[in-house]
Amino acid sequence: MIARTSASTLTAVVLGLLAFAIFGPIANMLLWAVAEAWYFPHKLPVEWGFSFWERVFRPQGNAMESLVNSVLIALATVVASLAIAIPAGLALGRGNLPWRSFFLLLFLLPQAFPSVAVHMNIAHIFYKLGLNGTYAGVMLVHTIQGLVFAVWIATAAFAAVDRELEEAARNMGATAFQAFRTVTLPLALPGILASAIFVFLISLDEFTGTFFVGVPDITTMPLLLFTASMEGNYQIASITALILLVPSVAFMLVIEKFLRADVLAKVGT
């Protein structure tokens, strides 16, 4: 009985610490978002209000412009990444390519080096190509980051599709493209959409690539958040972080509709 009580207490303590580690920073961010004044040694804000929200959304501010930039760049990054990941994943997951493992590892190379060093050199190359300070340049550097997840997940999704289903469609008279469109692609779609979510979130939160390639012409929400944090304005930083949650949640809710089995069944018909 004592041992059981001790185990339950230990479990409760561990779960409590885990919940604090996860939700503690979020609760602190929410408090800063409505704090007018908060200083040591007070455990809670000494003044509450929404004046900093007005500063973020005022017309002369650039919060909304930065949010629009972040969302548009993230959507463009998803399209560019999937345009490469789908044929690459199909070839790597379904084809008998030589050096298959080498090509998969090749997509991991940008992650093997410090991101600052990689983005500094990308910025140097993009400067020569006239891509610095452009939306195309920022989108491309985000795509380089997102391709790792997009290609690997797409490869696993296509590899998991039963080849016999595709062969059955071919035996029924379907062309190779029809079999891919009606059988292979719908079955791999959950994995492809999962990779789209990862790419979107990676692009939305990308900072170093945008900083080296886009500044000062292109401003996104992570850049705005970083600037506010460096200035010690935790209210603006917290509000910016909360705003950044909106497109992330909205995108995942939209994608979630396409992950349902009944929708996938309609895609295959």
Side-chain angles (χ1 to χ4, degrees):
M1 183 66 179
I2 297 177
R4 184 180 301 175
T5 303
S6 300
S8 300
T9 302
L10 180 61
T11 302
V13 171
V14 171
L15 290 176
L17 291 174
L18 182 62
F20 178 78
I22 295 174
F23 297 107
I26 297 176
N28 189 72
M29 181 179 64
L30 291 172
L31 289 174
W32 271 115
V34 293
E36 293 293 319
W38 189 3
Y39 46 83
F40 183 83
H42 296 278
K43 304 300 183 184
L44 292 173
V46 295
E47 295 181 24
W48 305 79
F50 295 92
S51 65
F52 286 95
W53 286 81
E54 187 275 332
R55 288 175 56 183
V56 170
F57 286 102
R58 66 179 50 169
Q60 59 268 34
N62 61 349
M64 297 311 298
E65 179 186 353
S66 300
L67 179 61
V68 171
N69 286 341
S70 295
V71 173
L72 292 179
I73 291 171
L75 291 174
T77 300
V78 169
V79 173
S81 297
L82 292 185
I84 299 173
I86 290 177
L90 182 63
L92 293 170
R94 308 284 290 173
N96 297 317
L97 292 179
W99 302 88
R100 175 178 179 274
S101 298
F102 170 77
F103 286 115
L104 284 173
L105 290 175
L106 191 63
F107 285 100
L108 286 177
L109 277 182
Q111 304 296 321
F113 301 94
S115 59
V116 173
V118 172
H119 291 140
M120 284 178 60
N121 285 278
I122 290 176
H124 180 69
I125 296 172
F126 280 11
Y127 179 79
K128 296 180 179 179
L129 298 175
L131 291 172
N132 272 33
T134 66
Y135 287 97
V138 175
M139 184 270 291
L140 286 174
V141 76
H142 286 202
T143 301
I144 293 173
Q145 292 290 102
L147 274 178
V148 175
F149 296 95
V151 172
W152 275 73
I153 296 176
T155 299
F158 283 116
V161 176
D162 191 348
R163 291 177 180 270
E164 293 183 357
L165 297 175
E166 195 174 86
E167 292 173 357
R170 295 295 303 275
N171 291 334
M172 295 292 292
T175 64
F177 177 74
Q178 289 174 333
F180 169 76
R181 182 180 62 84
T182 60
V183 178
T184 308
L185 183 60
L187 292 175
L189 190 59
I192 294 172
L193 294 180
S195 69
I197 293 175
F198 277 106
V199 172
F200 184 85
L201 296 178
I202 289 170
S203 175
L204 205 63
D205 295 333
E206 174 60 38
F207 169 75
T208 55
T210 310
F211 179 80
F212 283 107
V213 175
V215 170
D217 302 286
I218 308 296
T219 302
T220 60
M221 291 299 282
L223 289 176
L224 196 65
L225 192 156
F226 176 79
T227 302
S229 299
M230 290 298 98
E231 293 174 352
N233 197 331
Y234 300 119
Q235 290 94 335
I236 299 295
S238 298
I239 293 169
T240 303
L242 290 175
I243 296 173
L244 201 57
L245 283 175
V246 175
S248 301
V249 174
F251 184 78
M252 285 188 287
L253 289 176
V254 171
I255 291 296
E256 186 269 340
K257 295 182 179 180
F258 293 96
L259 290 174
R260 295 176 182 172
D262 57 338
V263 177
L264 293 178
K266 291 179 182 179
V267 174
T269 59

PDB file of all heavy atoms in Angstrom, residues 37-70:
ATOM      1  N   ALA A  37       2.768  46.947 -16.611  1.00  0.00           N
ATOM      2  CA  ALA A  37       4.005  47.078 -15.837  1.00  0.00           C
ATOM      3  C   ALA A  37       4.179  45.816 -14.999  1.00  0.00           C
ATOM      4  O   ALA A  37       3.235  45.348 -14.360  1.00  0.00           O
ATOM      5  CB  ALA A  37       3.963  48.308 -14.937  1.00  0.00           C
ATOM      6  N   TRP A  38       5.395  45.287 -15.027  1.00  0.00           N
ATOM      7  CA  TRP A  38       5.686  44.054 -14.283  1.00  0.00           C
ATOM      8  C   TRP A  38       7.183  44.046 -13.986  1.00  0.00           C
ATOM      9  O   TRP A  38       8.000  44.005 -14.896  1.00  0.00           O
ATOM     10  CB  TRP A  38       5.285  42.833 -15.104  1.00  0.00           C
ATOM     11  CG  TRP A  38       5.340  41.543 -14.350  1.00  0.00           C
ATOM     12  CD1 TRP A  38       5.646  41.338 -13.039  1.00  0.00           C
ATOM     13  CD2 TRP A  38       5.053  40.241 -14.891  1.00  0.00           C
ATOM     14  NE1 TRP A  38       5.567  40.022 -12.706  1.00  0.00           N
ATOM     15  CE2 TRP A  38       5.207  39.316 -13.820  1.00  0.00           C
ATOM     16  CE3 TRP A  38       4.687  39.764 -16.143  1.00  0.00           C
ATOM     17  CZ2 TRP A  38       5.006  37.937 -13.994  1.00  0.00           C
ATOM     18  CZ3 TRP A  38       4.498  38.411 -16.309  1.00  0.00           C
ATOM     19  CH2 TRP A  38       4.652  37.500 -15.253  1.00  0.00           C
ATOM     20  N   TYR A  39       7.510  44.121 -12.733  1.00  0.00           N
ATOM     21  CA  TYR A  39       8.915  44.175 -12.364  1.00  0.00           C
ATOM     22  C   TYR A  39       9.139  43.413 -11.066  1.00  0.00           C
ATOM     23  O   TYR A  39       8.218  43.162 -10.280  1.00  0.00           O
ATOM     24  CB  TYR A  39       9.401  45.623 -12.225  1.00  0.00           C
ATOM     25  CG  TYR A  39       8.475  46.532 -11.444  1.00  0.00           C
ATOM     26  CD1 TYR A  39       8.510  46.569 -10.051  1.00  0.00           C
ATOM     27  CD2 TYR A  39       7.569  47.353 -12.120  1.00  0.00           C
ATOM     28  CE1 TYR A  39       7.660  47.396  -9.341  1.00  0.00           C
ATOM     29  CE2 TYR A  39       6.715  48.182 -11.416  1.00  0.00           C
ATOM     30  CZ  TYR A  39       6.758  48.201 -10.020  1.00  0.00           C
ATOM     31  OH  TYR A  39       5.912  49.007  -9.320  1.00  0.00           O
ATOM     32  N   PHE A  40      10.384  43.010 -10.879  1.00  0.00           N
ATOM     33  CA  PHE A  40      10.793  42.245  -9.701  1.00  0.00           C
ATOM     34  C   PHE A  40      10.623  43.092  -8.448  1.00  0.00           C
ATOM     35  O   PHE A  40      10.876  44.310  -8.484  1.00  0.00           O
ATOM     36  CB  PHE A  40      12.265  41.820  -9.873  1.00  0.00           C
ATOM     37  CG  PHE A  40      12.800  40.955  -8.771  1.00  0.00           C
ATOM     38  CD1 PHE A  40      12.568  39.597  -8.775  1.00  0.00           C
ATOM     39  CD2 PHE A  40      13.522  41.511  -7.719  1.00  0.00           C
ATOM     40  CE1 PHE A  40      13.072  38.797  -7.757  1.00  0.00           C
ATOM     41  CE2 PHE A  40      14.021  40.727  -6.706  1.00  0.00           C
ATOM     42  CZ  PHE A  40      13.791  39.369  -6.723  1.00  0.00           C
ATOM     43  N   PRO A  41      10.161  42.501  -7.322  1.00  0.00           N
ATOM     44  CA  PRO A  41       9.959  41.075  -7.033  1.00  0.00           C
ATOM     45  C   PRO A  41       8.517  40.613  -7.161  1.00  0.00           C
ATOM     46  O   PRO A  41       8.151  39.577  -6.618  1.00  0.00           O
ATOM     47  CB  PRO A  41      10.420  40.998  -5.578  1.00  0.00           C
ATOM     48  CG  PRO A  41       9.962  42.288  -4.991  1.00  0.00           C
ATOM     49  CD  PRO A  41      10.097  43.313  -6.093  1.00  0.00           C
ATOM     50  N   HIS A  42       7.675  41.352  -7.868  1.00  0.00           N
ATOM     51  CA  HIS A  42       6.258  41.007  -7.978  1.00  0.00           C
ATOM     52  C   HIS A  42       6.085  39.735  -8.816  1.00  0.00           C
ATOM     53  O   HIS A  42       6.684  39.590  -9.878  1.00  0.00           O
ATOM     54  CB  HIS A  42       5.484  42.156  -8.605  1.00  0.00           C
ATOM     55  CG  HIS A  42       5.485  43.403  -7.768  1.00  0.00           C
ATOM     56  ND1 HIS A  42       4.626  43.605  -6.717  1.00  0.00           N
ATOM     57  CD2 HIS A  42       6.277  44.512  -7.809  1.00  0.00           C
ATOM     58  CE1 HIS A  42       4.859  44.775  -6.160  1.00  0.00           C
ATOM     59  NE2 HIS A  42       5.862  45.356  -6.806  1.00  0.00           N
ATOM     60  N   LYS A  43       5.232  38.838  -8.299  1.00  0.00           N
ATOM     61  CA  LYS A  43       4.980  37.573  -8.993  1.00  0.00           C
ATOM     62  C   LYS A  43       4.006  37.742 -10.159  1.00  0.00           C
ATOM     63  O   LYS A  43       3.992  36.927 -11.076  1.00  0.00           O
ATOM     64  CB  LYS A  43       4.419  36.535  -8.022  1.00  0.00           C
ATOM     65  CG  LYS A  43       5.304  36.281  -6.804  1.00  0.00           C
ATOM     66  CD  LYS A  43       6.671  35.768  -7.206  1.00  0.00           C
ATOM     67  CE  LYS A  43       7.525  35.452  -5.968  1.00  0.00           C
ATOM     68  NZ  LYS A  43       8.906  35.029  -6.345  1.00  0.00           N
ATOM     69  N   LEU A  44       3.196  38.793 -10.108  1.00  0.00           N
ATOM     70  CA  LEU A  44       2.226  39.066 -11.162  1.00  0.00           C
ATOM     71  C   LEU A  44       2.367  40.523 -11.608  1.00  0.00           C
ATOM     72  O   LEU A  44       2.961  41.333 -10.875  1.00  0.00           O
ATOM     73  CB  LEU A  44       0.795  38.811 -10.666  1.00  0.00           C
ATOM     74  CG  LEU A  44       0.424  37.352 -10.376  1.00  0.00           C
ATOM     75  CD1 LEU A  44      -0.952  37.284  -9.737  1.00  0.00           C
ATOM     76  CD2 LEU A  44       0.463  36.508 -11.640  1.00  0.00           C
ATOM     77  N   PRO A  45       1.860  40.868 -12.790  1.00  0.00           N
ATOM     78  CA  PRO A  45       1.937  42.270 -13.223  1.00  0.00           C
ATOM     79  C   PRO A  45       1.305  43.218 -12.212  1.00  0.00           C
ATOM     80  O   PRO A  45       0.272  42.900 -11.620  1.00  0.00           O
ATOM     81  CB  PRO A  45       1.160  42.260 -14.550  1.00  0.00           C
ATOM     82  CG  PRO A  45       1.267  40.856 -15.043  1.00  0.00           C
ATOM     83  CD  PRO A  45       1.263  39.990 -13.822  1.00  0.00           C
ATOM     84  N   VAL A  46       1.896  44.365 -12.061  1.00  0.00           N
ATOM     85  CA  VAL A  46       1.350  45.358 -11.130  1.00  0.00           C
ATOM     86  C   VAL A  46       0.335  46.262 -11.822  1.00  0.00           C
ATOM     87  O   VAL A  46      -0.459  46.919 -11.157  1.00  0.00           O
ATOM     88  CB  VAL A  46       2.491  46.200 -10.519  1.00  0.00           C
ATOM     89  CG1 VAL A  46       3.393  45.340  -9.663  1.00  0.00           C
ATOM     90  CG2 VAL A  46       3.308  46.890 -11.609  1.00  0.00           C
ATOM     91  N   GLU A  47       0.371  46.294 -13.151  1.00  0.00           N
ATOM     92  CA  GLU A  47      -0.613  47.036 -13.932  1.00  0.00           C
ATOM     93  C   GLU A  47      -1.035  46.190 -15.133  1.00  0.00           C
ATOM     94  O   GLU A  47      -0.205  45.562 -15.782  1.00  0.00           O
ATOM     95  CB  GLU A  47      -0.046  48.378 -14.423  1.00  0.00           C
ATOM     96  CG  GLU A  47       0.277  49.369 -13.316  1.00  0.00           C
ATOM     97  CD  GLU A  47       0.799  50.682 -13.873  1.00  0.00           C
ATOM     98  OE1 GLU A  47       0.482  50.987 -15.048  1.00  0.00           O
ATOM     99  OE2 GLU A  47       1.518  51.386 -13.154  1.00  0.00           O
ATOM    100  N   TRP A  48      -2.338  46.190 -15.379  1.00  0.00           N
ATOM    101  CA  TRP A  48      -2.888  45.396 -16.468  1.00  0.00           C
ATOM    102  C   TRP A  48      -3.492  46.320 -17.529  1.00  0.00           C
ATOM    103  O   TRP A  48      -3.955  47.422 -17.210  1.00  0.00           O
ATOM    104  CB  TRP A  48      -3.974  44.442 -15.959  1.00  0.00           C
ATOM    105  CG  TRP A  48      -3.528  43.548 -14.843  1.00  0.00           C
ATOM    106  CD1 TRP A  48      -3.407  43.896 -13.523  1.00  0.00           C
ATOM    107  CD2 TRP A  48      -3.155  42.181 -14.928  1.00  0.00           C
ATOM    108  NE1 TRP A  48      -2.978  42.826 -12.784  1.00  0.00           N
ATOM    109  CE2 TRP A  48      -2.808  41.744 -13.620  1.00  0.00           C
ATOM    110  CE3 TRP A  48      -3.070  41.260 -15.971  1.00  0.00           C
ATOM    111  CZ2 TRP A  48      -2.401  40.462 -13.331  1.00  0.00           C
ATOM    112  CZ3 TRP A  48      -2.667  39.966 -15.692  1.00  0.00           C
ATOM    113  CH2 TRP A  48      -2.335  39.576 -14.394  1.00  0.00           C
ATOM    114  N   GLY A  49      -3.499  45.868 -18.779  1.00  0.00           N
ATOM    115  CA  GLY A  49      -4.101  46.684 -19.824  1.00  0.00           C
ATOM    116  C   GLY A  49      -3.779  46.150 -21.208  1.00  0.00           C
ATOM    117  O   GLY A  49      -3.116  45.115 -21.369  1.00  0.00           O
ATOM    118  N   PHE A  50      -4.257  46.877 -22.220  1.00  0.00           N
ATOM    119  CA  PHE A  50      -4.095  46.436 -23.602  1.00  0.00           C
ATOM    120  C   PHE A  50      -3.464  47.517 -24.474  1.00  0.00           C
ATOM    121  O   PHE A  50      -3.612  47.497 -25.695  1.00  0.00           O
ATOM    122  CB  PHE A  50      -5.456  46.036 -24.193  1.00  0.00           C
ATOM    123  CG  PHE A  50      -6.084  44.845 -23.529  1.00  0.00           C
ATOM    124  CD1 PHE A  50      -6.965  45.019 -22.468  1.00  0.00           C
ATOM    125  CD2 PHE A  50      -5.784  43.562 -23.936  1.00  0.00           C
ATOM    126  CE1 PHE A  50      -7.550  43.930 -21.841  1.00  0.00           C
ATOM    127  CE2 PHE A  50      -6.356  42.458 -23.323  1.00  0.00           C
ATOM    128  CZ  PHE A  50      -7.241  42.639 -22.265  1.00  0.00           C
ATOM    129  N   SER A  51      -2.755  48.440 -23.858  1.00  0.00           N
ATOM    130  CA  SER A  51      -2.162  49.525 -24.640  1.00  0.00           C
ATOM    131  C   SER A  51      -1.097  49.011 -25.608  1.00  0.00           C
ATOM    132  O   SER A  51      -0.921  49.556 -26.697  1.00  0.00           O
ATOM    133  CB  SER A  51      -1.556  50.583 -23.709  1.00  0.00           C
ATOM    134  OG  SER A  51      -0.473  50.051 -22.967  1.00  0.00           O
ATOM    135  N   PHE A  52      -0.394  47.952 -25.226  1.00  0.00           N
ATOM    136  CA  PHE A  52       0.632  47.410 -26.113  1.00  0.00           C
ATOM    137  C   PHE A  52       0.010  46.722 -27.321  1.00  0.00           C
ATOM    138  O   PHE A  52       0.629  46.670 -28.387  1.00  0.00           O
ATOM    139  CB  PHE A  52       1.543  46.441 -25.346  1.00  0.00           C
ATOM    140  CG  PHE A  52       2.504  47.132 -24.425  1.00  0.00           C
ATOM    141  CD1 PHE A  52       2.200  47.311 -23.080  1.00  0.00           C
ATOM    142  CD2 PHE A  52       3.709  47.627 -24.893  1.00  0.00           C
ATOM    143  CE1 PHE A  52       3.082  47.951 -22.220  1.00  0.00           C
ATOM    144  CE2 PHE A  52       4.597  48.267 -24.051  1.00  0.00           C
ATOM    145  CZ  PHE A  52       4.287  48.442 -22.712  1.00  0.00           C
ATOM    146  N   TRP A  53      -1.214  46.188 -27.159  1.00  0.00           N
ATOM    147  CA  TRP A  53      -1.909  45.624 -28.306  1.00  0.00           C
ATOM    148  C   TRP A  53      -2.215  46.714 -29.325  1.00  0.00           C
ATOM    149  O   TRP A  53      -2.120  46.495 -30.527  1.00  0.00           O
ATOM    150  CB  TRP A  53      -3.202  44.933 -27.862  1.00  0.00           C
ATOM    151  CG  TRP A  53      -2.979  43.631 -27.164  1.00  0.00           C
ATOM    152  CD1 TRP A  53      -2.636  43.442 -25.852  1.00  0.00           C
ATOM    153  CD2 TRP A  53      -3.056  42.333 -27.747  1.00  0.00           C
ATOM    154  NE1 TRP A  53      -2.512  42.101 -25.579  1.00  0.00           N
ATOM    155  CE2 TRP A  53      -2.756  41.393 -26.716  1.00  0.00           C
ATOM    156  CE3 TRP A  53      -3.348  41.850 -29.011  1.00  0.00           C
ATOM    157  CZ2 TRP A  53      -2.748  40.025 -26.933  1.00  0.00           C
ATOM    158  CZ3 TRP A  53      -3.336  40.486 -29.235  1.00  0.00           C
ATOM    159  CH2 TRP A  53      -3.045  39.582 -28.203  1.00  0.00           C
ATOM    160  N   GLU A  54      -2.604  47.891 -28.827  1.00  0.00           N
ATOM    161  CA  GLU A  54      -2.869  49.006 -29.726  1.00  0.00           C
ATOM    162  C   GLU A  54      -1.610  49.422 -30.466  1.00  0.00           C
ATOM    163  O   GLU A  54      -1.646  49.756 -31.658  1.00  0.00           O
ATOM    164  CB  GLU A  54      -3.433  50.177 -28.914  1.00  0.00           C
ATOM    165  CG  GLU A  54      -3.921  51.360 -29.758  1.00  0.00           C
ATOM    166  CD  GLU A  54      -2.802  52.324 -30.112  1.00  0.00           C
ATOM    167  OE1 GLU A  54      -1.823  52.416 -29.324  1.00  0.00           O
ATOM    168  OE2 GLU A  54      -2.871  52.967 -31.177  1.00  0.00           O
ATOM    169  N   ARG A  55      -0.458  49.369 -29.785  1.00  0.00           N
ATOM    170  CA  ARG A  55       0.799  49.726 -30.427  1.00  0.00           C
ATOM    171  C   ARG A  55       1.154  48.739 -31.533  1.00  0.00           C
ATOM    172  O   ARG A  55       1.716  49.108 -32.565  1.00  0.00           O
ATOM    173  CB  ARG A  55       1.914  49.772 -29.386  1.00  0.00           C
ATOM    174  CG  ARG A  55       1.831  50.958 -28.440  1.00  0.00           C
ATOM    175  CD  ARG A  55       2.893  50.882 -27.371  1.00  0.00           C
ATOM    176  NE  ARG A  55       4.240  50.770 -27.933  1.00  0.00           N
ATOM    177  CZ  ARG A  55       5.340  50.633 -27.193  1.00  0.00           C
ATOM    178  NH1 ARG A  55       5.239  50.600 -25.870  1.00  0.00           N
ATOM    179  NH2 ARG A  55       6.518  50.542 -27.778  1.00  0.00           N
ATOM    180  N   VAL A  56       0.830  47.463 -31.321  1.00  0.00           N
ATOM    181  CA  VAL A  56       1.132  46.445 -32.325  1.00  0.00           C
ATOM    182  C   VAL A  56       0.259  46.621 -33.556  1.00  0.00           C
ATOM    183  O   VAL A  56       0.735  46.504 -34.698  1.00  0.00           O
ATOM    184  CB  VAL A  56       0.942  45.032 -31.730  1.00  0.00           C
ATOM    185  CG1 VAL A  56       1.019  43.971 -32.828  1.00  0.00           C
ATOM    186  CG2 VAL A  56       2.004  44.757 -30.668  1.00  0.00           C
ATOM    187  N   PHE A  57      -1.022  46.924 -33.355  1.00  0.00           N
ATOM    188  CA  PHE A  57      -1.967  46.961 -34.468  1.00  0.00           C
ATOM    189  C   PHE A  57      -2.185  48.358 -35.035  1.00  0.00           C
ATOM    190  O   PHE A  57      -2.988  48.515 -35.950  1.00  0.00           O
ATOM    191  CB  PHE A  57      -3.320  46.386 -34.024  1.00  0.00           C
ATOM    192  CG  PHE A  57      -3.311  44.898 -33.871  1.00  0.00           C
ATOM    193  CD1 PHE A  57      -3.230  44.324 -32.607  1.00  0.00           C
ATOM    194  CD2 PHE A  57      -3.370  44.066 -34.972  1.00  0.00           C
ATOM    195  CE1 PHE A  57      -3.224  42.956 -32.452  1.00  0.00           C
ATOM    196  CE2 PHE A  57      -3.360  42.696 -34.830  1.00  0.00           C
ATOM    197  CZ  PHE A  57      -3.283  42.125 -33.561  1.00  0.00           C
ATOM    198  N   ARG A  58      -1.496  49.366 -34.520  1.00  0.00           N
ATOM    199  CA  ARG A  58      -1.694  50.719 -35.048  1.00  0.00           C
ATOM    200  C   ARG A  58      -1.259  50.777 -36.520  1.00  0.00           C
ATOM    201  O   ARG A  58      -0.361  50.027 -36.941  1.00  0.00           O
ATOM    202  CB  ARG A  58      -0.925  51.744 -34.214  1.00  0.00           C
ATOM    203  CG  ARG A  58       0.578  51.592 -34.288  1.00  0.00           C
ATOM    204  CD  ARG A  58       1.304  52.658 -33.469  1.00  0.00           C
ATOM    205  NE  ARG A  58       0.807  52.786 -32.108  1.00  0.00           N
ATOM    206  CZ  ARG A  58       1.419  53.485 -31.163  1.00  0.00           C
ATOM    207  NH1 ARG A  58       2.560  54.129 -31.447  1.00  0.00           N
ATOM    208  NH2 ARG A  58       0.909  53.553 -29.948  1.00  0.00           N
ATOM    209  N   PRO A  59      -1.893  51.639 -37.323  1.00  0.00           N
ATOM    210  CA  PRO A  59      -1.623  51.670 -38.772  1.00  0.00           C
ATOM    211  C   PRO A  59      -0.161  51.895 -39.129  1.00  0.00           C
ATOM    212  O   PRO A  59       0.348  51.335 -40.104  1.00  0.00           O
ATOM    213  CB  PRO A  59      -2.505  52.825 -39.256  1.00  0.00           C
ATOM    214  CG  PRO A  59      -3.591  52.922 -38.254  1.00  0.00           C
ATOM    215  CD  PRO A  59      -2.970  52.562 -36.937  1.00  0.00           C
ATOM    216  N   GLN A  60       0.539  52.741 -38.346  1.00  0.00           N
ATOM    217  CA  GLN A  60       1.930  53.028 -38.695  1.00  0.00           C
ATOM    218  C   GLN A  60       2.888  51.915 -38.277  1.00  0.00           C
ATOM    219  O   GLN A  60       4.070  51.962 -38.588  1.00  0.00           O
ATOM    220  CB  GLN A  60       2.385  54.355 -38.082  1.00  0.00           C
ATOM    221  CG  GLN A  60       2.299  54.421 -36.566  1.00  0.00           C
ATOM    222  CD  GLN A  60       0.961  54.978 -36.099  1.00  0.00           C
ATOM    223  OE1 GLN A  60      -0.058  54.735 -36.735  1.00  0.00           O
ATOM    224  NE2 GLN A  60       0.982  55.722 -35.019  1.00  0.00           N
ATOM    225  N   GLY A  61       2.370  50.924 -37.558  1.00  0.00           N
ATOM    226  CA  GLY A  61       3.207  49.787 -37.193  1.00  0.00           C
ATOM    227  C   GLY A  61       3.358  48.827 -38.355  1.00  0.00           C
ATOM    228  O   GLY A  61       2.675  48.935 -39.384  1.00  0.00           O
ATOM    229  N   ASN A  62       4.240  47.864 -38.221  1.00  0.00           N
ATOM    230  CA  ASN A  62       4.462  46.912 -39.321  1.00  0.00           C
ATOM    231  C   ASN A  62       4.135  45.487 -38.919  1.00  0.00           C
ATOM    232  O   ASN A  62       4.598  44.538 -39.549  1.00  0.00           O
ATOM    233  CB  ASN A  62       5.907  46.999 -39.814  1.00  0.00           C
ATOM    234  CG  ASN A  62       6.916  46.662 -38.729  1.00  0.00           C
ATOM    235  OD1 ASN A  62       6.565  46.557 -37.541  1.00  0.00           O
ATOM    236  ND2 ASN A  62       8.165  46.475 -39.115  1.00  0.00           N
ATOM    237  N   ALA A  63       3.327  45.318 -37.851  1.00  0.00           N
ATOM    238  CA  ALA A  63       2.994  43.970 -37.398  1.00  0.00           C
ATOM    239  C   ALA A  63       2.147  43.234 -38.426  1.00  0.00           C
ATOM    240  O   ALA A  63       2.421  42.071 -38.752  1.00  0.00           O
ATOM    241  CB  ALA A  63       2.276  44.026 -36.050  1.00  0.00           C
ATOM    242  N   MET A  64       1.120  43.888 -38.940  1.00  0.00           N
ATOM    243  CA  MET A  64       0.234  43.218 -39.894  1.00  0.00           C
ATOM    244  C   MET A  64       0.957  42.948 -41.211  1.00  0.00           C
ATOM    245  O   MET A  64       0.755  41.908 -41.831  1.00  0.00           O
ATOM    246  CB  MET A  64      -1.017  44.056 -40.131  1.00  0.00           C
ATOM    247  CG  MET A  64      -1.878  44.246 -38.886  1.00  0.00           C
ATOM    248  SD  MET A  64      -2.221  42.690 -38.021  1.00  0.00           S
ATOM    249  CE  MET A  64      -3.123  41.782 -39.265  1.00  0.00           C
ATOM    250  N   GLU A  65       1.792  43.892 -41.635  1.00  0.00           N
ATOM    251  CA  GLU A  65       2.579  43.663 -42.852  1.00  0.00           C
ATOM    252  C   GLU A  65       3.511  42.470 -42.667  1.00  0.00           C
ATOM    253  O   GLU A  65       3.660  41.638 -43.573  1.00  0.00           O
ATOM    254  CB  GLU A  65       3.385  44.911 -43.191  1.00  0.00           C
ATOM    255  CG  GLU A  65       4.261  44.755 -44.433  1.00  0.00           C
ATOM    256  CD  GLU A  65       5.162  45.949 -44.680  1.00  0.00           C
ATOM    257  OE1 GLU A  65       5.013  46.963 -43.958  1.00  0.00           O
ATOM    258  OE2 GLU A  65       6.010  45.870 -45.586  1.00  0.00           O
ATOM    259  N   SER A  66       4.124  42.377 -41.487  1.00  0.00           N
ATOM    260  CA  SER A  66       5.019  41.261 -41.195  1.00  0.00           C
ATOM    261  C   SER A  66       4.257  39.947 -41.154  1.00  0.00           C
ATOM    262  O   SER A  66       4.752  38.911 -41.627  1.00  0.00           O
ATOM    263  CB  SER A  66       5.732  41.488 -39.861  1.00  0.00           C
ATOM    264  OG  SER A  66       6.503  42.669 -39.886  1.00  0.00           O
ATOM    265  N   LEU A  67       3.037  39.976 -40.600  1.00  0.00           N
ATOM    266  CA  LEU A  67       2.219  38.759 -40.547  1.00  0.00           C
ATOM    267  C   LEU A  67       1.846  38.299 -41.951  1.00  0.00           C
ATOM    268  O   LEU A  67       1.932  37.103 -42.259  1.00  0.00           O
ATOM    269  CB  LEU A  67       0.958  39.024 -39.720  1.00  0.00           C
ATOM    270  CG  LEU A  67      -0.022  37.851 -39.595  1.00  0.00           C
ATOM    271  CD1 LEU A  67       0.642  36.665 -38.923  1.00  0.00           C
ATOM    272  CD2 LEU A  67      -1.273  38.270 -38.825  1.00  0.00           C
ATOM    273  N   VAL A  68       1.423  39.234 -42.792  1.00  0.00           N
ATOM    274  CA  VAL A  68       1.076  38.884 -44.176  1.00  0.00           C
ATOM    275  C   VAL A  68       2.302  38.330 -44.898  1.00  0.00           C
ATOM    276  O   VAL A  68       2.210  37.323 -45.619  1.00  0.00           O
ATOM    277  CB  VAL A  68       0.518  40.115 -44.917  1.00  0.00           C
ATOM    278  CG1 VAL A  68       0.357  39.816 -46.404  1.00  0.00           C
ATOM    279  CG2 VAL A  68      -0.820  40.528 -44.316  1.00  0.00           C
ATOM    280  N   ASN A  69       3.451  38.965 -44.706  1.00  0.00           N
ATOM    281  CA  ASN A  69       4.686  38.462 -45.325  1.00  0.00           C
ATOM    282  C   ASN A  69       4.985  37.035 -44.865  1.00  0.00           C
ATOM    283  O   ASN A  69       5.338  36.171 -45.685  1.00  0.00           O
ATOM    284  CB  ASN A  69       5.859  39.371 -44.966  1.00  0.00           C
ATOM    285  CG  ASN A  69       5.829  40.691 -45.703  1.00  0.00           C
ATOM    286  OD1 ASN A  69       5.158  40.832 -46.716  1.00  0.00           O
ATOM    287  ND2 ASN A  69       6.563  41.666 -45.195  1.00  0.00           N
ATOM    288  N   SER A  70       4.853  36.789 -43.576  1.00  0.00           N
ATOM    289  CA  SER A  70       5.159  35.461 -43.033  1.00  0.00           C
ATOM    290  C   SER A  70       4.252  34.399 -43.625  1.00  0.00           C
ATOM    291  O   SER A  70       4.714  33.319 -44.030  1.00  0.00           O
ATOM    292  CB  SER A  70       5.029  35.473 -41.504  1.00  0.00           C
ATOM    293  OG  SER A  70       5.984  36.316 -40.908  1.00  0.00           O
TER     294      SER A  70
END
